[in-house]
Amino acid sequence: MNILDIIEKKRDKRELSKDEIQYFIQGYTDGRVMDYQASALIMAIYLNGMTKKETTDLTLSMANSGEILNLDSLNKIIVDKHSTGGVGDKVSLILLPIIASLDIPVAKMSGRGLGFTGGTVDKLQSIPGYRTDINVKEFIENVKNVRISIISQTLNLAPADKKIYALRDSISCVESIPLIASSIMSKKIASGAEKIVLDVTVGSGAFMKNIENATKLAKEMIEIGKLAKKETVCVLTNMDEPLGYAVGNNLEVIEAINFLNKNMPNDLKEVVLELGAYMIKLAGRGKNIQENKEKMIENIENGKAFDKFLELIKNQGGDISYIKNTDKFEKAKYIVPVYSDEDGYISEINAESIGKLACYLGAGRMKKEDKIDYSVGIVLNKKVSEKIEKNDILGYIYANNKQKAENAIKEFKEIVKISKIKTKKIDTIIEIID
Ligand code: URA
């Protein structure tokens, strides 16, 4: 067997065998398959797709490319959560401390930004001192001691995904059902949880642009979950406009902290509560979705969820004075309000365009070695369907470069569409698939 034959086979739209997929995954993980060969194969998969059997074989090979965590010592049902990616998606930062505050353990391996979407790890790293790269022992100890740990993929968990994830990002091969399904499910299998809740985003700011493709992705991940004996529930959520108001790393951390301090934007609240209610259900801690949401709200109201967030950050070396006083976060040099030129109603804020604009300002990576600027991004002031008057503020640009700030203002005004007719508010929760 050799990699050239495997690339040729996929290029010519033929099905790869389990052994061929394993050969590629092992070879790429240990460096025998070169980046340019992996790029060619990934592009062929992107263009020609994979059968369900190929996707399953790819997922299991990736999961087995490193260690599989054993969380049995926690003596509890561990429920994991993952999102297929979005713009302004700070859900994990909010939801996971709420879940841990209900005494349900959270052992979460998160990702970096991918394409125009942000990543939880980049956001957490905007908190001075927070360590995302702890070892397995410390990870499990943290979950035992404070019920929660959120880390990056630095442990030897699904290392093949780590390499392929970064590669896909640098060769424009992100939006693919087999590649997303295998990336997410390999990580979830490797990180040892028994049950999984997936936020499958749909719309302009998601990798799945329509409900049909998102449903297909959800069903493939559920099937892989079944094979791996991991009960999986998918919540399809809307990502046509950014989630919440802030887009950019420390800006989103601040919004998450405000949320845990009871300042909850509606769309963000709906997503957090829906996903959380299913996590609680899968953990065996409540069958009634509405009651589960109420338990979550109670722990926001009584401050337990915020205290758990503080504990998480402190336990992993983060400076909690920033969490207690968000004014301490580094601020962009230019914070510029953008004013509306007309009266009307906001009819569209294309989330993908906002994500790309945030990347242009420095909030994301263009190349895998790029450094992120944690303080830049965009903060919306109005959301779709809201009324706007001439000279009202549409949003704020946070930039560290004057020219970029000026370009971003122009671009932002083009992204935010205004109509004379009131547009319907976007429904946030689309469907539950299990
Ligand atoms: N999140 C992942 O972990 N992988 C993807 O491919 C997309 C979102």
Side-chain angles (χ1 to χ4, degrees), residues 216-431:
K216 200 166 162 217
L217 173 63
K219 288 191 170 157
E220 290 216 3
M221 293 194 288
I222 289 170
E223 242 177 76
I224 296 169
K226 266 196 194 123
L227 281 171
K229 302 200 171 31
K230 298 197 184 279
E231 188 180 354
T232 305
V233 173
C234 291
V235 181
L236 265 57
T237 63
N238 194 299
M239 191 46 80
D240 268 328
E241 67 175 330
L243 194 58
Y245 289 88
V247 180
N249 297 283
N250 74 20
L251 300 171
E252 290 188 44
V253 171
I254 294 169
E255 188 170 35
I257 294 167
N258 291 340
F259 187 110
L260 291 169
N261 281 314
K262 303 171 207 145
N263 183 355
M264 302 178 255
N266 274 337
D267 55 347
L268 190 53
K269 182 174 170 186
E270 283 178 32
V271 176
V272 166
L273 294 184
E274 197 73 30
L275 292 168
Y278 279 93
M279 287 183 81
I280 297 169
K281 184 176 176 196
L282 291 192
R285 293 283 301 276
K287 286 196 176 126
N288 185 310
I289 294 300
Q290 190 49 37
E291 278 174 23
N292 292 350
K293 289 181 183 175
E294 282 157 21
K295 287 180 203 160
M296 297 171 73
I297 290 286
E298 192 183 323
N299 271 15
I300 296 170
E301 299 286 348
N302 64 21
K304 286 187 180 169
F306 177 70
D307 288 346
K308 190 52 77 177
F309 185 69
L310 278 176
E311 234 180 328
L312 159 73
I313 302 304
K314 185 171 177 204
N315 204 42
Q316 281 184 225
D319 183 344
I320 55 167
S321 66
Y322 284 72
I323 313 301
K324 290 182 173 166
N325 173 13
T326 55
D327 284 344
K328 283 190 77 175
F329 276 99
E330 187 195 336
K331 287 194 182 51
K333 204 157 150 197
Y334 305 98
I335 301 175
V336 199
V338 184
Y339 298 97
S340 174
D341 294 329
E342 53 185 314
D343 295 338
Y345 296 89
I346 309 284
S347 59
E348 187 190 339
I349 307 176
N350 184 291
E352 177 171 357
S353 306
I354 294 285
K356 286 183 171 163
L357 186 58
C359 283
Y360 166 75
L361 290 166
R365 297 178 187 80
M366 297 292 178
K367 297 191 293 310
K368 59 182 178 181
E369 41 294 309
D370 283 350
K371 268 193 82 120
I372 281 190
D373 186 341
Y374 294 125
S375 63
V376 299
I378 296 135
V379 176
L380 305 175
N381 193 43
K382 300 275 175 183
K383 302 267 292 183
V384 169
S385 94
E386 277 187 59
K387 194 169 177 355
I388 186 100
E389 283 175 16
K390 191 171 171 182
N391 295 326
D392 276 355
I393 296 174
L394 293 170
Y396 298 85
I397 302 295
Y398 285 63
N400 276 322
N401 173 302
K402 195 158 189 271
Q403 187 59 53
K404 281 196 173 184
E406 280 165 16
N407 295 343
I409 293 168
K410 259 178 49 199
E411 178 70 23
F412 183 67
K413 278 192 173 183
E414 278 170 26
I415 295 171
V416 181
K417 303 268 188 284
I418 296 170
S419 101
K420 292 291 172 206
I421 306 156
K422 186 167 165 56
T423 11
K424 199 177 155 288
K425 217 184 131 321
I426 296 175
D427 283 336
T428 316
I429 307 299
I430 300 169
E431 199 184 341

Side-chain angles (χ1 to χ4, degrees), residues 82-86 109-112 114 117 153 161 165 168 173-177 179-185 187-188 207 217:
H82 207 87
S83 160
T84 58
M109 186 165 71
S110 285
R112 298 185 179 282
L114 186 65
T117 68
Q153 212 172 347
D161 172 61
Y165 189 91
R168 283 166 59 210
C173 281
V174 174
E175 299 94 335
S176 145
I177 291 177
L179 295 177
I180 297 175
S182 57
S183 166
I184 293 179
M185 293 308 284
K187 278 194 285 270
K188 298 299 98 179
F207 298 129
L217 173 63

